[in-house]
Amino acid sequence: MTPASFAAPRQRLQVVPTDAPAPAESANQPDVTAFGQDLVAGLSATPRSISPKYFYDAEGSALFDRICELPEYYPTRTEVAILRDQAAHIAEAIGPRAEIVEFGAGSLMKIRLLLDAMDRPSRYLPIDISGEHLGQAAARLQQDYAGLEVVPVVADYTQDLILPRPAKGAGRRVGFFPGSTIGNFTPPQALHFLRMAARVLRGGALLLGADLFKDPALLHAAYNDAQGVTAAFNLNLLARANRELGADFDLEQFAHSAFYNAPMRRIEMHLVSLKDQRVHLGGREFAFAEGESLHTENSHKFTVESLRALAIEAGFTPGRVWTDPGRLFSLHWLQAPS
Ligand code: AVJ
């Protein structure tokens, strides 16, 4: 098979901290053509699929921020409420002078709730695949927390991750993985991620947010909002392929589909072809039959016990669990072995 050809992609912004030990930037740099390669591979496979990590270009990140405000989308506001209500207890578990490593940092809003409650946090390492979004958010955070060393790391944490060594005299290294992004992984991928996290956090802990199983009607509504923001977020993947890769997806001829797959205990999102059509990408042609889908996301739902069992399998020792009164969402304290 000949490699697919693409127009030169835009260069990613490199975020290099000034007075911190340089993180292994080059080792973490996501391949700039990864989206194109993965999309070609995903369109060539049966059934067709693509990783949800490619939702988050600037447009997709802005749409995701809007999803978090939707009345139907309960996870963000519920997790934020737990963080707010339990901040003192969580900060106590974290301990003094700790270093926080956030996986998939986004807009860096949730971390403020922790930082405000923590005892002299020493360093904060937000990791995100989107360099532009991360650089701006990190600069804003640094302005608001003068005593904190903010070291953004532009990296794909689903790949093997290299982090700077813990600062001298720092407290515990604590990972923060909120939002139930863990639910995007299949169980084997989740185990792989958790084992990697246990390695980079050894001797510390991971604070992990996990969405809980609930009435499928509520799950369904959260991914089928009345305003169509989730549909726009899903379809932006095709728009992004058109923008960045010169593909020719007709956005009018694909529909958002999201449903709860009960045996797999997950919401699945797909883009469904509304007619027989051909799409071009990287010098190749892909035929979609009417009704055929591109699987764009899994969002697994957990019970408190199923999440703890997964953590144990990855080598963590589960500790406290914080939930909301409606038990919609959970935050888990997972101790990493030394
Ligand atoms: C960011 C992965 C947690 O699965 O609920 C929201 C992404 N997708 N609406 C989720 C998402 C559609 C979200 N996560």
Short mmCIF file of all heavy atoms in Angstrom, two decimals, residues 311-337:
data_model
loop_
_atom_site.label_atom_id
_atom_site.label_comp_id
_atom_site.label_asym_id
_atom_site.label_seq_id
_atom_site.Cartn_x
_atom_site.Cartn_y
_atom_site.Cartn_z
N ALA A 311 -8.93 -0.32 38.43
CA ALA A 311 -7.75 0.31 39.04
C ALA A 311 -6.84 -0.72 39.71
O ALA A 311 -5.61 -0.66 39.58
CB ALA A 311 -8.19 1.37 40.05
N ILE A 312 -7.46 -1.68 40.39
CA ILE A 312 -6.68 -2.73 41.05
C ILE A 312 -5.92 -3.55 40.00
O ILE A 312 -4.74 -3.86 40.17
CB ILE A 312 -7.60 -3.64 41.91
CG1 ILE A 312 -8.10 -2.86 43.13
CG2 ILE A 312 -6.87 -4.93 42.33
CD1 ILE A 312 -9.19 -3.57 43.94
N GLU A 313 -6.61 -3.86 38.90
CA GLU A 313 -5.98 -4.64 37.83
C GLU A 313 -4.75 -3.91 37.27
O GLU A 313 -3.79 -4.55 36.82
CB GLU A 313 -7.00 -4.90 36.72
CG GLU A 313 -6.79 -6.22 36.01
CD GLU A 313 -7.82 -6.44 34.91
OE1 GLU A 313 -9.00 -6.03 35.09
OE2 GLU A 313 -7.45 -7.03 33.88
N ALA A 314 -4.79 -2.57 37.30
CA ALA A 314 -3.67 -1.77 36.79
C ALA A 314 -2.58 -1.55 37.84
O ALA A 314 -1.58 -0.90 37.55
CB ALA A 314 -4.19 -0.43 36.28
N GLY A 315 -2.79 -2.05 39.05
CA GLY A 315 -1.76 -1.95 40.08
C GLY A 315 -1.99 -0.88 41.12
O GLY A 315 -1.18 -0.72 42.03
N PHE A 316 -3.07 -0.12 41.01
CA PHE A 316 -3.37 0.91 42.02
C PHE A 316 -4.03 0.29 43.26
O PHE A 316 -4.64 -0.79 43.17
CB PHE A 316 -4.34 1.95 41.45
CG PHE A 316 -3.71 2.93 40.50
CD1 PHE A 316 -3.76 2.72 39.13
CD2 PHE A 316 -3.08 4.09 40.98
CE1 PHE A 316 -3.19 3.64 38.24
CE2 PHE A 316 -2.52 5.01 40.11
CZ PHE A 316 -2.57 4.78 38.73
N THR A 317 -3.95 1.01 44.36
CA THR A 317 -4.73 0.66 45.55
C THR A 317 -5.82 1.71 45.71
O THR A 317 -5.53 2.87 46.02
CB THR A 317 -3.84 0.65 46.81
OG1 THR A 317 -2.76 -0.25 46.59
CG2 THR A 317 -4.63 0.22 48.04
N PRO A 318 -7.08 1.34 45.46
CA PRO A 318 -8.15 2.33 45.56
C PRO A 318 -8.37 2.79 46.99
O PRO A 318 -8.31 1.99 47.93
CB PRO A 318 -9.39 1.60 45.04
CG PRO A 318 -8.95 0.28 44.53
CD PRO A 318 -7.58 0.01 45.03
N GLY A 319 -8.61 4.10 47.13
CA GLY A 319 -8.88 4.67 48.44
C GLY A 319 -10.27 5.28 48.46
O GLY A 319 -11.23 4.63 48.04
N ARG A 320 -10.37 6.54 48.89
CA ARG A 320 -11.69 7.16 49.03
C ARG A 320 -12.36 7.40 47.69
O ARG A 320 -11.69 7.57 46.66
CB ARG A 320 -11.55 8.50 49.78
CG ARG A 320 -11.17 8.31 51.25
CD ARG A 320 -11.38 9.60 52.01
NE ARG A 320 -12.80 10.03 52.00
CZ ARG A 320 -13.24 11.12 52.60
NH1 ARG A 320 -12.39 11.92 53.24
NH2 ARG A 320 -14.52 11.43 52.57
N VAL A 321 -13.70 7.42 47.71
CA VAL A 321 -14.50 7.75 46.53
C VAL A 321 -15.43 8.89 46.94
O VAL A 321 -16.08 8.82 47.98
CB VAL A 321 -15.35 6.56 46.06
CG1 VAL A 321 -16.12 6.92 44.79
CG2 VAL A 321 -14.48 5.33 45.83
N TRP A 322 -15.44 9.95 46.14
CA TRP A 322 -16.35 11.06 46.39
C TRP A 322 -17.40 11.08 45.29
O TRP A 322 -17.06 10.99 44.10
CB TRP A 322 -15.58 12.39 46.39
CG TRP A 322 -14.60 12.51 47.53
CD1 TRP A 322 -14.88 12.84 48.82
CD2 TRP A 322 -13.17 12.29 47.47
NE1 TRP A 322 -13.72 12.86 49.58
CE2 TRP A 322 -12.67 12.52 48.78
CE3 TRP A 322 -12.28 11.92 46.47
CZ2 TRP A 322 -11.31 12.40 49.09
CZ3 TRP A 322 -10.93 11.80 46.77
CH2 TRP A 322 -10.46 12.04 48.07
N THR A 323 -18.68 11.16 45.66
CA THR A 323 -19.75 11.25 44.66
C THR A 323 -20.71 12.38 45.05
O THR A 323 -20.63 12.94 46.14
CB THR A 323 -20.58 9.95 44.55
OG1 THR A 323 -21.15 9.66 45.83
CG2 THR A 323 -19.76 8.79 44.07
N ASP A 324 -21.64 12.68 44.13
CA ASP A 324 -22.70 13.66 44.38
C ASP A 324 -23.87 12.92 45.01
O ASP A 324 -23.95 11.69 44.92
CB ASP A 324 -23.12 14.31 43.06
CG ASP A 324 -23.49 13.26 42.03
OD1 ASP A 324 -22.61 12.46 41.64
OD2 ASP A 324 -24.67 13.20 41.63
N PRO A 325 -24.82 13.65 45.61
CA PRO A 325 -25.96 13.00 46.26
C PRO A 325 -26.78 12.13 45.30
O PRO A 325 -27.31 11.09 45.70
CB PRO A 325 -26.81 14.17 46.78
CG PRO A 325 -25.87 15.34 46.86
CD PRO A 325 -24.82 15.12 45.83
N GLY A 326 -26.86 12.52 44.02
CA GLY A 326 -27.61 11.72 43.04
C GLY A 326 -26.82 10.55 42.47
O GLY A 326 -27.34 9.82 41.63
N ARG A 327 -25.58 10.42 42.91
CA ARG A 327 -24.66 9.37 42.42
C ARG A 327 -24.61 9.33 40.89
O ARG A 327 -24.66 8.25 40.27
CB ARG A 327 -25.03 7.99 42.99
CG ARG A 327 -24.61 7.84 44.44
CD ARG A 327 -24.94 6.48 45.02
NE ARG A 327 -23.93 5.46 44.74
CZ ARG A 327 -22.83 5.25 45.46
NH1 ARG A 327 -22.56 6.03 46.49
NH2 ARG A 327 -22.01 4.29 45.16
N LEU A 328 -24.47 10.52 40.31
CA LEU A 328 -24.34 10.61 38.85
C LEU A 328 -22.90 10.42 38.42
O LEU A 328 -22.62 9.91 37.32
CB LEU A 328 -24.83 11.99 38.36
CG LEU A 328 -26.29 12.35 38.60
CD1 LEU A 328 -26.56 13.79 38.17
CD2 LEU A 328 -27.21 11.40 37.84
N PHE A 329 -21.96 10.84 39.27
CA PHE A 329 -20.56 10.93 38.87
C PHE A 329 -19.69 10.58 40.08
O PHE A 329 -20.12 10.74 41.23
CB PHE A 329 -20.26 12.36 38.39
CG PHE A 329 -19.03 12.47 37.53
CD1 PHE A 329 -19.12 12.38 36.14
CD2 PHE A 329 -17.77 12.66 38.09
CE1 PHE A 329 -17.99 12.46 35.34
CE2 PHE A 329 -16.63 12.74 37.31
CZ PHE A 329 -16.75 12.64 35.93
N SER A 330 -18.46 10.11 39.82
CA SER A 330 -17.59 9.71 40.93
C SER A 330 -16.15 10.21 40.74
O SER A 330 -15.68 10.34 39.61
CB SER A 330 -17.56 8.18 41.05
OG SER A 330 -17.14 7.58 39.83
N LEU A 331 -15.51 10.54 41.85
CA LEU A 331 -14.09 10.89 41.86
C LEU A 331 -13.38 9.89 42.76
O LEU A 331 -13.78 9.70 43.91
CB LEU A 331 -13.90 12.31 42.40
CG LEU A 331 -13.96 13.47 41.41
CD1 LEU A 331 -14.01 14.79 42.16
CD2 LEU A 331 -12.78 13.46 40.46
N HIS A 332 -12.32 9.27 42.22
CA HIS A 332 -11.64 8.17 42.93
C HIS A 332 -10.22 8.56 43.30
O HIS A 332 -9.48 9.08 42.46
CB HIS A 332 -11.59 6.93 42.03
CG HIS A 332 -12.93 6.38 41.69
ND1 HIS A 332 -13.40 5.19 42.19
CD2 HIS A 332 -13.93 6.88 40.91
CE1 HIS A 332 -14.62 4.97 41.72
NE2 HIS A 332 -14.96 5.98 40.95
N TRP A 333 -9.85 8.27 44.54
CA TRP A 333 -8.47 8.42 44.98
C TRP A 333 -7.80 7.06 44.83
O TRP A 333 -8.21 6.08 45.47
CB TRP A 333 -8.42 8.88 46.44
CG TRP A 333 -7.03 9.12 46.93
CD1 TRP A 333 -6.28 8.29 47.68
CD2 TRP A 333 -6.23 10.29 46.68
NE1 TRP A 333 -5.03 8.86 47.92
CE2 TRP A 333 -4.99 10.08 47.32
CE3 TRP A 333 -6.45 11.47 45.96
CZ2 TRP A 333 -3.96 11.04 47.26
CZ3 TRP A 333 -5.43 12.42 45.91
CH2 TRP A 333 -4.21 12.20 46.57
N LEU A 334 -6.80 6.99 43.94
CA LEU A 334 -6.13 5.72 43.64
C LEU A 334 -4.64 5.87 43.96
O LEU A 334 -3.95 6.68 43.35
CB LEU A 334 -6.32 5.37 42.15
CG LEU A 334 -7.76 5.35 41.63
CD1 LEU A 334 -7.79 5.17 40.12
CD2 LEU A 334 -8.58 4.26 42.32
N GLN A 335 -4.16 5.09 44.91
CA GLN A 335 -2.75 5.18 45.29
C GLN A 335 -1.88 4.39 44.33
O GLN A 335 -2.17 3.23 44.03
CB GLN A 335 -2.57 4.60 46.69
CG GLN A 335 -2.43 5.67 47.75
CD GLN A 335 -2.38 5.02 49.11
OE1 GLN A 335 -3.42 4.73 49.68
NE2 GLN A 335 -1.17 4.77 49.58
N ALA A 336 -0.80 5.04 43.88
CA ALA A 336 0.14 4.38 42.96
C ALA A 336 1.24 3.71 43.77
O ALA A 336 1.77 4.31 44.71
CB ALA A 336 0.74 5.40 42.00
N PRO A 337 1.59 2.49 43.44
CA PRO A 337 2.66 1.81 44.19
C PRO A 337 4.02 2.50 43.98
O PRO A 337 4.21 3.16 42.96
CB PRO A 337 2.68 0.40 43.59
CG PRO A 337 2.05 0.54 42.22
CD PRO A 337 1.07 1.66 42.34
#
